[in-house]
């Protein structure tokens, strides 16, 4: 039996967790989120508030919020109350407990995690109930933040990534007449210092709930500490709150320095007379300019005033002004012009941190089986290489592979100090033709047959340019769904798993378009299409995807939701 979702969940109503119709829940939430976006575009903020209230009090919203916090990586991590929701009954009861009336969040459990510079970053762990409440209210707040966000903000936003920020840097700085000077900005303790008063006055959400989260305090070493500023680090809604706090800086700069075009919109590119551009990822950002003096005398003071209103300061040690010929590091890449040509490469710090991690893993597994070592190293190598695969990284990938080979050779020598180098090479390494050396191990699979396991190389990763997201693209706006379907197709083509999924779809459809029933070939090309649109709760899984011809996209039924 499927539970029928309604706009509002009855107080104290408990449901069988396994009987919930999740497709209907997602459809209800996505429909309300799309209506919130439409209301914002029409400037009807009263309706936005009413729709947010409806979503945060809905059965569907509560069900999805509980589902999220009980299925993510932190599902087994408890807050100060020591509780986790691990059973279906506990999850059902949790849904009925998500009520605004009488809600009082508990303090966060404070822990500290190490940073790359040797310092420690504070992290607050809310209780499961507080996490679920934050997830619920984020469902209603994120459509607002996405619709009003700065165009070139890329951190902690759906469908955006560091790769988009890198490509925007390339767009802004690569041309011959591009700006030459860059302000590298870093905000000091951004999450810890945002003004509570500013957020309460400017964040469009339930003020009572927001104030309770901000003033909940934290517990460290059995002592309760108040929170007078900042957002709850570790909270699900914190990235959205911090993004909304920093949004508006790009508009401020454009209003001051960019030239208006005939449509009345501001130019964000090379047409700007002062060549002022902002690229931001969370609290790290760069601002470009035609001159160092402009950055020092006008832009930096503007940024400082903007941040001061929000209780924030620029970090003196990390904020500096750099010429493009000297280069700068941003999000793990080095951006620099060499004789007028812009190259974005993996930063030296990123390479060093990666190799240090590989060394530590190899050293900690001196006596491990070769297969176990390969299982540990492969995800690390593949993940690091995938992060940098759209940068100028071919030479650095080769250097990294060479360093890893040296580590593994020393690892093998330590295991067999009395064996010859030829014996060790034959046991652990093999020649893979044009690919050079291979670190291979043979093991018996579950079916009793021998299998070969090979260490992946950074150079196995294909260098491929990233297709940057459009600045105005909004994943909560149904009008952008065809655009995001196209990006999903590109993403699937760019990965081995995605290629297998495309092949499965093509075979299931007998190689034919699901709209016109004609053959899909390389010549006709193809497009990914959602059977149930995402604005109605559809997912990106194979059961909800189909292949169609690009021209057949316009033959599909339009979205009729009001």
């Amino acid at each position: 039996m499927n539970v029928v979702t309604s706009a509002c969940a009855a107080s104290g109503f408990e449901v069988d967790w396994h009987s919930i119709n999740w497709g209907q829940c997602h459809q209800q939430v996505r429909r309300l989120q799309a209506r919130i976006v439409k209301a914002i575009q029409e400037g009807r903020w009263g309706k936005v508030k009413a729709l947010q209230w409806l979503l945060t009090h809905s059965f569907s919203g509560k069900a999805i919020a509980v589902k999220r916090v009980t299925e993510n990586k932190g599902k087994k991590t408890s807050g100060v109350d020591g509780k986790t929701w691990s059973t279906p009954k506990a999850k059902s009861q949790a849904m009925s407990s998500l009520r605004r009336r009488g809600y009082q969040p508990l303090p966060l459990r404070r822990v500290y995690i190490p940073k790359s510079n040797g310092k420690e970053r504070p992290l607050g762990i809310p209780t499961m109930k507080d996490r679920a409440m934050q997830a619920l209210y984020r469902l209603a707040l994120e459509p607002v933040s996405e619709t009003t966000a700065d165009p070139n903000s890329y951190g902690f936003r759906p469908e955006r990534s560091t790769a988009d920020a890198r490509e925007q840097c390339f767009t802004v700085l690569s041309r011959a007449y591009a700006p030459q000077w860059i302000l590298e900005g870093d905000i000091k303790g951004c999450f810890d210092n945002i003004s509570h008063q500013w957020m309460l006055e400017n964040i469009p959400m339930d003020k009572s709930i927001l104030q309770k989260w901000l003033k909940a305090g934290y517990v460290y070493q059995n002592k309760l500490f108040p929170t007078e500023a900042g957002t709850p680090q570790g909270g699900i809604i914190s990235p959205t709150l911090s993004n909304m706090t920093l949004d508006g800086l790009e508009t401020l700069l454009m209003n001051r320095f960019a030239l208006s075009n005939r449509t009345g919109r501001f130019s964000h590119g090379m047409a700007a007379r002062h060549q002022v551009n902002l690229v931001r990822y969370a609290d790290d950002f760069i601002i470009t300019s035609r001159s160092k003096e402009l950055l020092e005398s006008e832009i930096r003071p503007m940024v400082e005033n903007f941040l001061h209103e929000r209780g924030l300061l620029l970090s003196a040690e990390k904020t500096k002004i750099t010429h493009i010929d000297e280069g700068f590091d941003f999000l793990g890449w080095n951006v620099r012009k060499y004789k007028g040509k812009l190259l974005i490469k993996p930063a030296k710090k990123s390479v060093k941190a990666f190799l240090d991690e590989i060394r530590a893993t190899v050293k900690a597994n001196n006596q491990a089986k070769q297969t176990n070592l390969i299982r540990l190293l492969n995800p690390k190598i593949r993940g690091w290489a995938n992060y940098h695969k759209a940068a100028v990284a071919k030479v650095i990938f080769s250097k990294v592979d060479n360093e890893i080979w040296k580590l593994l050779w020393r690892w093998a020598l330590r295991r067999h100090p009395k064996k010859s180098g030829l014996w060790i090479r034959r046991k652990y390494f093999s020649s893979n033709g044009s690919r050079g050396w291979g670190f291979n191990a043979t093991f018996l699979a579950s079916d009793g047959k021998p299998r070969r396991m090979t260490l992946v190389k950074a150079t196995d990763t294909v260098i491929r340019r990233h297709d940057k997201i459009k600045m105005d693209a909004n994943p909560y706006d149904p009008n952008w769904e065809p655009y995001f379907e196209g990006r999903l197709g590109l993403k699937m083509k760019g990965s081995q798993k995605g290629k297998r999924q495309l092949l499965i779809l093509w075979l299931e459809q007998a190689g034919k378009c699901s709209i016109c029933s004609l053959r899909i070939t390389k010549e006709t090309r193809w497009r990914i299409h959602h059977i149930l649109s995402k604005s109605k709760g559809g997912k990106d899984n194979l059961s909800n995807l189909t292949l169609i011809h690009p021209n057949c996209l316009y033959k599909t039924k339009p979205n009729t939701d009001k």
Side-chain angles (χ1 to χ4, degrees):
M1 161 180 150
N2 286 335
V3 172
V4 178
T5 61
S6 60
C8 297
S11 178
F13 176 64
E14 190 174 319
V15 66
D16 179 7
W17 181 258
H18 293 302
S19 70
I20 295 175
N21 185 332
W22 292 108
Q24 195 173 352
C25 287
H26 283 287
Q27 181 177 352
Q28 173 80 354
V29 169
R30 293 292 300 206
R31 180 173 176 272
L32 287 171
Q33 289 174 328
R35 292 177 64 190
I36 289 172
V37 171
K38 185 178 180 182
I40 296 169
Q41 292 169 344
E42 295 173 350
R44 302 171 64 186
W45 287 96
K47 186 174 183 180
V48 171
K49 186 176 180 180
L51 290 168
Q52 287 181 315
W53 190 96
L54 191 62
L55 199 161
T56 55
H57 289 71
S58 69
F59 175 94
S60 300
K62 293 178 180 181
I64 291 174
V66 173
K67 187 173 189 289
R68 172 171 180 174
V69 300
T70 55
E71 293 184 358
N72 61 15
K73 291 182 180 180
K75 63 184 178 182
K76 296 181 180 180
T77 305
S78 63
V80 293
D81 61 354
K83 294 180 180 178
T84 58
W85 298 335
S86 56
T87 65
K89 184 177 180 180
K91 296 173 186 178
S92 298
Q93 291 174 343
M95 285 177 55
S96 62
S97 73
L98 300 184
R99 295 189 296 269
R100 181 182 185 276
R101 179 177 295 179
Y103 170 66
Q104 183 61 50
L106 293 176
L108 284 72
R109 180 164 67 87
R110 174 65 64 91
V111 297
Y112 288 89
I113 55 176
K115 296 171 66 175
S116 58
N117 60 5
K119 297 181 180 180
E120 292 184 323
R121 184 192 305 276
L123 182 67
I125 302 175
T127 65
M128 292 295 290
K129 181 176 180 179
D130 294 335
R131 273 179 257 173
M133 284 292 283
Q134 289 188 25
L136 176 62
Y137 278 83
R138 180 175 174 172
L139 289 173
L141 183 61
E142 199 163 58
V144 181
S145 68
E146 283 300 299
T147 308
T148 60
D150 281 347
N152 288 300
S153 162
Y154 300 98
F156 305 117
R157 294 180 60 190
E159 305 294 340
R160 283 167 168 79
S161 66
T162 53
D164 294 305
R166 183 195 59 237
E167 289 304 308
Q168 181 62 16
C169 289
F170 185 85
T171 300
V172 169
L173 296 166
S174 61
R175 299 173 185 175
Y177 48 87
Q180 300 293 305
W181 292 94
I182 298 95
L183 171 68
E184 303 173 58
D186 184 89
I187 301 169
K188 187 175 181 179
C190 180
F191 279 86
D192 291 328
N193 297 308
I194 299 175
S195 165
H196 286 180
Q197 189 61 34
W198 190 93
M199 283 192 285
L200 290 169
E201 292 175 356
N202 294 276
I203 301 295
M205 66 167 289
D206 190 307
K207 308 300 181 185
S208 174
I209 295 292
L210 177 58
Q211 184 171 28
K212 288 178 180 179
W213 286 335
L214 297 177
K215 301 298 183 183
Y218 65 91
V219 173
Y220 181 63
Q221 295 181 343
N222 296 322
K223 292 182 180 179
L224 177 63
F225 297 87
T227 47
E228 301 300 333
T231 61
Q233 281 205 56
I236 289 175
I237 203 170
S238 295
T240 305
L241 294 176
S242 63
N243 264 336
M244 296 191 76
T245 302
L246 298 176
D247 281 335
L249 179 56
E250 185 171 5
T251 302
L252 179 68
L253 293 169
M254 293 304 105
N255 287 344
R256 173 63 182 85
F257 295 106
L259 292 175
S260 293
N261 61 25
R262 291 182 181 178
T263 62
R265 297 185 63 190
F266 291 101
S267 168
H268 291 267
M270 294 299 105
R273 177 163 54 92
H274 297 283
Q275 298 181 323
V276 174
N277 301 271
L278 179 139
V279 182
R280 179 170 68 83
Y281 189 92
D283 58 344
D284 292 326
F285 63 89
I286 65 162
I287 300 175
T288 68
S289 173
R290 62 178 172 81
S291 70
K292 183 178 182 180
E293 293 72 22
L294 187 63
L295 288 172
E296 289 177 333
S297 63
E298 290 194 57
I299 293 176
R300 180 163 182 165
M302 284 181 64
V303 174
E304 289 174 341
N305 290 335
F306 176 88
L307 296 176
H308 179 72
E309 293 176 1
R310 292 153 174 78
L312 300 172
L313 295 171
L314 285 175
S315 170
E317 62 182 43
K318 295 182 180 180
T319 302
K320 54 187 176 180
I321 297 174
T322 312
H323 194 274
I324 191 60
D325 291 342
E326 297 175 11
F328 63 94
D329 288 352
F330 187 55
L331 304 177
W333 294 289
N334 180 260
V335 184
R336 182 180 174 185
K337 272 191 174 179
Y338 298 82
K339 297 181 180 180
K341 183 176 182 180
L342 185 77
L343 298 181
I344 302 180
K345 303 178 181 180
K348 290 181 180 179
K349 289 182 180 179
S350 175
V351 176
K352 182 181 182 302
F354 168 66
L355 288 176
D356 286 346
E357 184 181 5
I358 297 297
R359 290 188 188 99
T361 303
V362 173
K363 186 176 181 180
N365 291 273
N366 278 335
Q367 304 303 318
K369 292 182 180 180
Q370 188 182 8
T371 51
N372 292 341
L373 182 60
I374 292 174
R375 285 192 181 100
L376 289 171
L377 293 179
N378 273 353
K380 299 179 188 294
I381 297 170
R382 191 179 289 115
W384 185 83
N386 281 334
Y387 184 82
H388 294 287
K389 68 181 179 182
V392 182
K394 186 175 182 180
V395 173
I396 293 176
F397 281 179
S398 296
K399 291 180 179 178
V400 163
D401 285 340
N402 187 48
E403 288 298 317
I404 293 175
W405 179 87
K406 291 178 183 178
L407 286 171
L408 295 175
W409 182 256
R410 290 194 292 269
W411 174 86
L413 288 176
R414 282 194 297 269
R415 293 168 68 88
H416 306 283
K418 297 182 180 180
K419 296 294 184 180
S420 68
L422 180 61
W423 185 92
I424 290 173
R425 186 184 70 80
R426 287 175 175 172
K427 180 172 177 61
Y428 293 105
F429 299 88
S430 66
S431 176
N432 291 337
S434 61
R435 293 183 67 250
W437 63 273
F439 189 66
N440 307 308
T442 303
F443 67 100
L444 291 178
S446 57
D447 58 4
K449 295 182 180 180
R451 295 284 190 275
R452 196 181 200 190
M453 182 181 294
T454 303
L455 184 77
V456 299
K457 296 182 179 181
T459 48
D460 292 340
T461 303
V462 178
I463 304 294
R464 182 180 287 110
R465 185 75 180 269
H466 176 73
D467 182 40
K468 178 186 167 296
I469 193 170
K470 290 184 178 180
M471 291 189 297
D472 298 331
N474 186 343
Y476 294 103
D477 186 347
N479 294 322
W480 282 97
E481 283 197 17
Y483 171 75
F484 284 109
E485 286 180 344
R487 287 184 65 80
L488 175 62
L490 290 174
K491 190 183 298 183
M492 293 176 74
K493 283 176 65 179
S495 68
Q496 290 300 320
K497 180 181 178 181
K499 288 176 182 177
R500 289 194 295 270
Q501 292 174 328
L502 288 173
L503 179 60
I504 291 171
L505 285 175
W506 190 80
L507 291 173
E508 286 180 348
Q509 297 175 206
K512 296 180 180 179
C513 171
S514 60
I515 302 298
C516 67
S517 298
L518 297 178
R519 295 282 296 175
I520 292 177
T521 65
K522 289 183 179 179
E523 289 73 26
T524 64
R525 307 190 72 176
W526 51 266
R527 179 151 189 161
I528 291 284
H529 184 64
H530 289 92
I531 298 171
L532 178 66
S533 66
K534 296 194 76 172
S535 63
K536 296 180 179 178
K539 294 293 183 181
D540 287 337
N541 47 38
L542 286 180
S543 60
N544 191 47
L545 299 178
T546 184
L547 293 177
I548 63 174
H549 292 125
N551 289 337
C552 291
L553 175 67
Y554 304 102
K555 299 178 183 178
T556 59
K557 293 181 180 180
N559 180 20
T560 57
D561 278 355
K562 295 183 180 179

